[in-house]
Amino acid sequence: MTPRENPVSIVIPLFNAERHIVSVLEAILSQDYEGDREVIVVNDGSTDRSRDLLKTFEEEGIIKVLDQPNQGAVAATNAGFNAARYGFICSVDSDAVLHRGWLRKIMEEFDDPRVGAVQGYIKTPAGLPFIARMAGYDLEYRYDQLRSKYVTQVSTTNTAYRKTAVEKAGLFDPQFTYGYDNDMSYRIQKAGYTLVFRGDAFCDHYWKADTKSYLKQQYRSAYGRMQLISKHRDKLTGDSVSGIRMIVQVPLTLAALCLILLGAVALPWGGSRFFVAAGLFLFGAVLVDRVIFALEIVRKQRDPSACFLPLVHLFRNVVWSWAFVAWGLRGAFLFL
């Protein structure tokens, strides 16, 4: 039996995903894959109709449902991985709809015994609201910049893991609320395995649509990045998906904000113009980079609304800066 025919466990952490969970399950069940598969949905204390929508699938024996009080995505994912019977475990988000052929293409990469995990391409489906499209376009652009299928980070949104690799690396670290998939990626590599990005294995990801959810997610993302750097000092400049061009925006934006604030404080004593000018210069440098970034996305996506992406990213950078400050204050408090 070749790896591509091996039985596969598919784990879906679920919390309040009534809008997409049926489509997610139908897409998994329609995969053109010859090997056996089991589908494990971990209901993490959903309060919407998600649990009810699983009943038909569960009664027909198509899926297995694990119910638990709300503990977060890491606990739900770990519960699913612990329950998985097979030697390959796929993590699929409850708002990620796999294209036909995804599982077959992903499993082909495990022919190489050195491969510990394989991720597919996360696409931005048509018709999403503005903020959701901008988040999706941003990620797609970074995927398009990859120059090799071998990467240093894979996302739990749509990734298959070799079970032995996870056993060597350990389960997902519960100290993370965001970035736990990055942490797992780094640990799998340290365990001696490689990571693969399969650019022709697509899934549609239905990003959260409203501004509040987006900014909250970005705060958690930035805070999680600080946790990652604290645990993996060699990842200070990021990884193959979130590289230095993205990481450097945080210190530049924070420095710009500090200089402008310093200029306002220094106003009674003079010298404020220098600080404000320096701050605006740094803001301008970040903005120029984001404009170039946005124009490249407009060219690919053929969506003129992406011209507003620099403004979205400026707000995002401010949120990232606040997360950086919160992380620093937390560290200082613990030190004291």
Side-chain angles (χ1 to χ4, degrees):
M1 180 179 289
T2 64
R4 71 189 65 179
E5 298 170 336
N6 273 329
V8 178
S9 300
I10 301 173
V11 174
I12 307 171
L14 172 70
F15 177 72
N16 290 354
E18 63 181 6
R19 293 183 60 188
H20 305 294
I21 188 58
V22 172
S23 298
V24 169
L25 289 171
E26 289 175 344
I28 289 172
L29 297 172
S30 65
Q31 291 294 304
D32 56 342
Y33 181 71
E34 296 179 359
D36 292 335
R37 74 193 83 158
E38 65 171 354
V39 181
I40 302 169
V41 180
V42 183
N43 174 38
D44 189 42
S46 295
T47 57
D48 65 356
R49 295 176 53 247
S50 297
R51 185 62 179 88
D52 293 335
L53 295 173
L54 300 177
K55 288 181 179 178
T56 301
F57 297 95
E58 186 180 19
E59 290 169 356
E60 294 179 0
I62 298 174
I63 67 174
K64 177 181 180 180
V65 180
L66 303 178
D67 291 303
Q68 66 179 35
N70 181 248
Q71 301 174 49
V74 176
T77 303
N78 282 340
F81 273 50
N82 279 326
R85 294 182 294 157
Y86 298 137
F88 297 91
I89 308 174
C90 299
S91 172
V92 178
D93 278 358
S94 56
D95 56 2
V97 179
L98 306 179
H99 289 206
R100 186 171 173 81
W102 181 91
L103 186 54
R104 172 176 49 81
K105 293 171 182 177
I106 290 291
M107 290 303 293
E108 288 174 356
E109 297 296 335
F110 288 111
D111 286 346
D112 183 348
R114 298 171 300 173
V115 173
V118 185
Q119 182 197 323
Y121 191 106
I122 300 173
K123 290 182 64 67
T124 308
L128 290 183
F130 172 73
I131 288 292
R133 292 201 314 278
M134 296 306 106
Y137 292 167
D138 183 346
L139 186 58
E140 281 193 41
Y141 176 87
R142 285 182 274 138
Y143 287 150
D144 293 342
Q145 302 309 301
L146 296 174
R147 294 295 174 257
S148 169
K149 73 175 185 178
Y150 296 104
V151 293
T152 57
Q153 188 261 324
V154 290
S155 166
T156 48
T157 302
N158 71 330
T159 288
Y161 296 86
R162 190 186 296 273
K163 191 173 186 179
T164 53
V166 174
E167 289 172 344
K168 288 183 180 179
L171 287 174
F172 294 92
D173 189 340
Q175 75 167 307
F176 290 94
T177 56
Y178 197 92
Y180 53 90
D181 44 6
N182 301 66
D183 173 61
M184 172 65 83
S185 299
Y186 305 156
R187 287 190 282 122
I188 286 178
Q189 291 168 94
K190 290 176 181 177
Y193 294 90
T194 60
L195 306 177
V196 170
F197 176 77
R198 184 73 187 240
D200 62 345
F202 299 111
C203 84
D204 289 335
H205 186 209
Y206 290 85
W207 298 80
K208 290 182 174 62
D210 59 283
T211 302
K212 181 180 178 180
S213 295
Y214 172 75
L215 294 178
K216 182 178 179 180
Q217 186 238 24
Q218 291 302 314
Y219 179 89
R220 293 171 58 196
S221 174
Y223 197 90
R225 178 62 61 177
M226 297 302 107
Q227 288 181 288
L228 283 169
I229 292 172
S230 177
K231 185 174 180 179
H232 303 275
R233 298 300 175 88
D234 57 324
K235 298 301 180 182
L236 180 62
T237 57
D239 48 50
S240 54
V241 178
S242 301
I244 187 65
R245 184 179 182 185
M246 180 176 178
I247 299 298
V248 77
Q249 292 181 59
V250 180
L252 287 179
T253 301
L254 183 57
L257 290 171
C258 289
L259 285 168
I260 292 173
L261 179 61
L262 186 59
V265 171
L267 185 61
W269 298 279
S272 62
R273 291 183 179 179
F274 171 79
F275 295 117
V276 171
L280 292 176
F281 175 80
L282 290 180
F283 259 134
V286 172
L287 184 59
V288 168
D289 175 75
R290 294 298 88 189
V291 168
I292 294 171
F293 184 88
L295 291 175
E296 292 169 342
I297 288 177
V298 170
R299 187 179 304 114
K300 177 199 172 181
Q301 302 290 349
R302 300 181 184 279
D303 183 351
S305 68
C307 289
F308 294 98
L309 193 55
L311 296 178
V312 174
H313 279 184
L314 284 179
F315 280 109
R316 180 193 70 180
N317 291 351
V318 172
V319 172
W320 282 358
S321 297
W322 173 241
F324 183 86
V325 171
W327 171 262
L329 292 175
R330 173 183 175 273
F333 177 79
L334 292 176
F335 178 77
L336 296 174

